[in-house]
Amino acid sequence: MSTTTSVTSTYTVTGMTCGHCVSSVKAEVGKIDGVTEVAVDLASGKVTVTSDTAPADTAVAAAIDEAGYELVAPAAEAPEAGASCCGSCH
């Protein structure tokens, strides 16, 4: 008996304004090899992708671009107050 492990990744997409937008994003992202489920939350712009293996961010970005929308690049996390990063910003 084999067990299947799914990977879930969440992305933020800008430009979606209606149900047609949601359908377009679901359809394009769903074409990526290994993707088993795509959930889109229109209000937050979050797209959750469930797949056999983690999809390449470039593949997801290309699919979202093909649908006519834009994938928001994750913001770099700033160090917490009082924490020291590499020291070059102080």
Side-chain angles (χ1 to χ4, degrees):
M1 176 198 258
S2 66
T3 58
T4 304
T5 303
S6 294
V7 177
T8 301
S9 306
T10 302
Y11 304 89
T12 301
V13 176
T14 60
M16 298 185 300
T17 59
C18 66
H20 180 265
C21 301
V22 169
S23 295
S24 296
V25 169
K26 278 185 171 183
E28 291 300 326
V29 174
K31 293 178 185 177
I32 298 171
D33 285 341
V35 170
T36 57
E37 184 179 351
V38 180
V40 180
D41 183 335
L42 180 62
S44 68
K46 300 291 183 194
V47 176
T48 303
V49 180
T50 303
S51 54
D52 298 333
T53 60
D57 289 342
T58 53
V60 174
I64 289 171
D65 183 64
E66 183 66 28
Y69 307 98
E70 184 176 348
L71 179 67
V72 177
E77 290 187 28
E80 293 180 30
S84 176
C85 56
C86 63
S88 65
C89 59
H90 298 283

